[in-house]
Amino acid sequence: MTEIVKKSIIIIATIFTICELLDALEEREGKIFLKCPRGLKSPNSGSETNGRSPIDCFRMCSQRSGCSGVNICQEQSGQFMCAMTEDPHQGECTGLTAASQPSCYYAHRDSRLAEVMTEAEETTLATQEATTTEIACQNGGTPNGEKCDCPVHYGGRTCNRLIRDCSEPFQNGHTNSDYDGIYAIQPATAPSPIEVKCQFRAGGETLPLRRRGSTNFCQDWATCKAPYNMQDLPSPVPKYFIGLENLHHLLSQAEYKLYVYMLVMNGTGYVSKTMHYTNFSVDAESSSFAVTHDGFDCTNCDADDAFSGSLPVVFVSSGHDVNGCSAQRGGKSGWFGSNCKGSDLFSNGLFYWPVNGTDTDVRLIEFAFTRVSTSFYDD
């Protein structure tokens, strides 16, 4: 008998053992939870959670004080949605309403029985599941329960893809500033990887833009859409931009807070200012990369909101001047409202930001984004 055949027999035997155990547990739980007709549910359900089988739903209800029953529906993913109810009067299949799916049903605890799975059964099932479902990690990841611990460059449940922004590795435990550097990210809708600078502080910052001096930063619509000077990223004082297209891909996958750090002219010298925007986003090219946000803050700071012009605040430049503001501003490139108020961050030569209502010379500006919305990392 070959080694492959022997291993196959062991795997098949293990599967049968697990199936027999699951059948036995479901039969045992069937004595504790009585199933009502399919297509009906209790209208009094509360918190929802997911389980791998109806057994998980029964078990969670058994372990929750006051739980009298549970609505169970199988989802497209194969998991089961378990919605607990703590209605002490819902002891039978009465007072039920139509479920959202014909396969859903309500199961209530049989008040005559109080037994649950023994500790030995719990341990056996957990051991069998751990033995047969250990996750397969990629790109140097290591198993950690139902997901993998990934190296700093990789993300996803199995480390199967590049990180989507610099917040992802921070959330995965890479929080030391020693990791600061240049990384290839690939946002959910981006067709190819994007190089950005990452800083592992404040939740993990993605830095898509840094400009200083009178660099010839953005000449027309085409050059503004594309990455600029990305080869400068490794230098100590880089000047770069990932491009409008890539900025849209980055910000369209989640909710982000934008931090703006800059040095502006004040008399004969420069002073630093820090401000932030909540839920800052940049729409697609069809909207002229219109900017929206939910709020601006510059505490103890006299800088103005550069994106507060009359809506929509769109990006204009030579060759794409949808509201005439580029021409009115002498061929400048940047985001402007219909009243032509805004900031020409991307113009050739000197660039400006409004401070106390006056366009003020900027020596240095840097954008840093931190993801704040619900995690998308376990895909």
Side-chain angles (χ1 to χ4, degrees):
M1 184 180 298
T2 67
E3 191 65 26
I4 294 177
V5 173
K6 288 180 181 179
K7 290 182 178 179
S8 299
I9 293 174
I10 292 172
I11 292 172
I12 293 171
T14 302
I15 292 172
F16 276 114
T17 301
I18 294 171
C19 291
E20 289 170 0
L21 177 59
L22 291 174
D23 289 342
L25 294 175
E26 187 163 15
E27 180 181 356
R28 182 179 181 85
E29 292 291 0
K31 298 175 183 178
I32 303 171
F33 286 84
L34 303 181
K35 299 179 181 178
C36 296
R38 290 188 179 274
L40 298 176
K41 67 172 185 176
S42 168
N44 303 310
S45 61
S47 59
E48 297 181 0
T49 187
N50 286 331
R52 288 164 293 185
S53 71
I55 295 172
D56 282 347
C57 300
F58 298 153
R59 183 189 308 159
M60 285 184 280
C61 183
S62 296
Q63 296 173 346
R64 181 172 299 187
S65 175
C67 181
S68 60
V70 57
N71 289 321
I72 300 175
C73 289
Q74 187 168 14
E75 300 177 326
Q76 291 184 347
S77 63
Q79 289 191 317
F80 289 80
M81 186 277 293
C82 316
M84 312 298 171
T85 177
E86 297 183 359
D87 183 356
H89 304 294
Q90 189 68 54
E92 298 180 356
C93 298
T94 57
L96 303 180
T97 59
S100 58
Q101 303 175 31
S103 60
C104 300
Y105 62 90
Y106 176 69
H108 65 85
R109 297 184 70 170
D110 188 339
S111 59
R112 298 167 299 174
L113 298 172
E115 61 177 342
V116 294
M117 286 193 298
T118 66
E119 182 178 349
E121 288 170 330
E122 291 272 12
T123 302
T124 301
L125 179 60
T127 301
Q128 293 285 7
E129 289 177 344
T131 301
T132 58
T133 62
E134 183 173 290
I135 193 167
C137 301
Q138 304 178 44
N139 296 307
T142 56
N144 184 3
E146 295 185 353
K147 68 182 296 292
C148 298
D149 289 335
C150 301
V152 65
H153 293 272
Y154 294 97
R157 197 172 71 90
T158 61
C159 313
N160 55 298
R161 57 165 175 76
L162 291 172
I163 53 176
R164 289 185 171 169
D165 61 21
C166 303
S167 298
E168 182 167 14
F170 188 94
Q171 180 174 311
N172 288 341
H174 302 292
T175 60
N176 194 310
S177 61
D178 290 343
Y179 288 107
D180 290 357
I182 311 308
Y183 289 84
I185 67 170
Q186 187 160 9
T189 60
S192 57
I194 306 164
E195 279 199 330
V196 297
K197 184 178 180 180
C198 291
Q199 291 185 163
F200 292 91
R201 64 184 186 186
E205 292 182 332
T206 305
L207 282 66
L209 164 70
R210 189 178 191 275
R211 183 177 182 185
R212 60 189 298 272
S214 56
T215 311
N216 192 13
F217 210 72
C218 176
Q219 297 125 10
D220 53 28
W221 183 246
T223 56
C224 293
K225 289 197 304 179
Y228 168 79
N229 208 30
M230 298 304 289
Q231 71 276 6
D232 198 32
L233 268 173
S235 73
V237 285
K239 304 176 290 291
Y240 63 90
F241 177 49
I242 65 172
L244 292 169
E245 286 278 10
N246 288 333
L247 186 62
H248 162 65
H249 286 304
L250 171 67
L251 301 181
S252 65
Q253 64 183 346
E255 180 180 330
Y256 288 87
K257 177 179 285 188
L258 165 62
Y259 290 89
V260 180
Y261 307 103
M262 65 183 185
L263 293 174
V264 299
M265 175 63 76
N266 182 18
T268 58
Y270 289 91
V271 294
S272 63
K273 299 183 184 297
T274 301
M275 61 208 81
H276 71 258
Y277 292 84
T278 56
N279 196 15
F280 189 94
S281 66
V282 174
D283 292 336
E285 181 180 5
S286 58
S287 73
S288 297
F289 299 108
V291 160
T292 59
H293 64 83
D294 288 343
F296 166 80
D297 181 65
C298 190
T299 304
N300 299 320
C301 168
D302 54 0
D304 300 329
D305 177 5
F307 300 102
S308 62
S310 300
L311 297 177
V313 177
V314 297
F315 194 93
V316 296
S317 66
S318 174
H320 189 88
D321 194 6
V322 294
N323 57 14
C325 292
S326 178
Q328 182 175 322
R329 290 268 185 150
K332 301 294 187 181
S333 300
W335 278 286
F336 299 99
S338 58
N339 58 1
C340 295
K341 290 184 178 180
S343 175
D344 56 351
L345 294 178
F346 297 85
S347 62
N348 299 329
L350 297 177
F351 58 106
Y352 302 89
W353 187 279
V355 178
N356 285 331
T358 302
D359 285 346
T360 304
D361 174 23
V362 178
R363 172 65 178 174
L364 167 71
I365 193 163
E366 190 170 58
F367 279 11
F369 288 95
T370 301
R371 187 190 60 83
V372 295
S373 62
T374 305
S375 173
F376 50 68
Y377 296 151
D378 291 337
D379 57 343

